[in-house]
Amino acid sequence: GDLKKAMQRAKEKNIPYFAYLQIPSLVEGGCVNSGIAPMMKAKPIPPSSEVMAVARALLLAEEVGCALHLSGVTLERSFALIREAKKAGLLVTCDVSPYHFFFDESAILYYGNTAKIMPPLRSNKDREATLAAIADGTVDAIASHHVANDRRDFERTLTAAPFGAASLETVFSACVDKLLFDGVVDIFRL
């Protein structure tokens, strides 16, 4: 389909295909991770939407032979697939956001709509897997995933509020605090 054609064009131009990880039909109308959705009385964004997108992108990239960058990885299962693909020799890189190694899904209970981001904050197990993937080199970059919204947007209900959080001004300090000071990476990898 269209994804395969886009990867073929990327290969022809000798550039990586950049994939943002979601299956729209599974994400539509969702607000938060599956684990906290019942407590929030909100429609979930299931982890399967990311895992399926990662698997699909990796399989097609292998078939086409193009380089692939996966943006916004958040799940232990996704990191396992990426780790396996790298070991098999696929030209794949990925990034994570500071939100996903600093917070877990419970942050929405404290921070409300300002913690409604896409992809959603995940379980604490996935947050720890994100840190492990950074430490072992599975993760290649930290991306801000900065989305600034008007303050009034956060006064809406959870379902009506937009996704996004401002982070541009805090990315580096979050990385120093959580990655360097906690011993996940050294100063040279930071």
Side-chain angles (χ1 to χ4, degrees), residues 23-179:
I23 304 290
S25 62
L26 295 176
V27 171
E28 190 173 329
C31 294
V32 293
N33 192 45
S34 298
I36 199 139
M39 185 183 302
M40 302 299 296
K41 297 182 180 160
K43 185 174 178 192
I45 297 174
S48 59
S49 66
E50 177 181 311
V51 176
M52 289 171 61
V54 168
R56 180 184 65 177
L58 289 170
L59 289 169
L60 285 172
E62 180 178 33
E63 185 178 311
V64 169
C66 76
L68 174 65
H69 180 78
L70 301 170
S71 183
V73 183
T74 66
L75 296 164
E76 181 177 35
R77 290 181 68 190
S78 297
F79 292 121
L81 291 169
I82 294 164
R83 214 174 269 118
E84 184 179 314
K86 286 183 174 201
K87 286 179 185 170
L90 262 68
L91 298 173
V92 60
T93 56
C94 70
D95 69 58
V96 299
S97 83
Y99 312 121
H100 294 96
F101 62 74
F102 216 88
F103 300 108
D104 66 25
E105 63 190 339
S106 67
I108 200 145
L109 297 171
Y110 304 102
Y111 299 108
N113 295 350
T114 60
K116 180 185 175 187
I117 60 173
M118 181 62 81
L121 295 171
R122 302 295 188 176
S123 70
N124 192 54
K125 180 180 172 189
D126 289 313
R127 185 191 67 78
E128 290 172 356
T130 301
L131 289 167
I134 294 168
D136 72 17
T138 300
V139 172
D140 301 281
I142 308 296
S144 74
H145 291 256
H146 173 87
V147 178
N149 291 311
D150 188 289
R151 193 176 323 162
R152 291 174 296 208
D153 290 333
F154 298 116
E155 295 169 6
R156 300 178 185 179
T157 64
L158 180 64
T159 54
F163 290 99
S167 64
L168 204 53
E169 63 281 356
T170 60
V171 171
F172 185 71
S173 62
C175 290
V176 169
D177 184 43
K178 199 68 183 166
L179 302 180

Side-chain angles (χ1 to χ4, degrees), residues 1-10 17-20 23 52-53 55-58 60-61 64 66 68:
D2 291 337
L3 179 57
K4 187 173 180 179
K5 287 178 187 173
M7 287 184 173
Q8 288 168 332
R9 293 197 70 187
Y17 180 81
F18 190 96
Y20 188 71
I23 304 290
M52 289 171 61
R56 180 184 65 177
L58 289 170
L60 285 172
V64 169
C66 76
L68 174 65

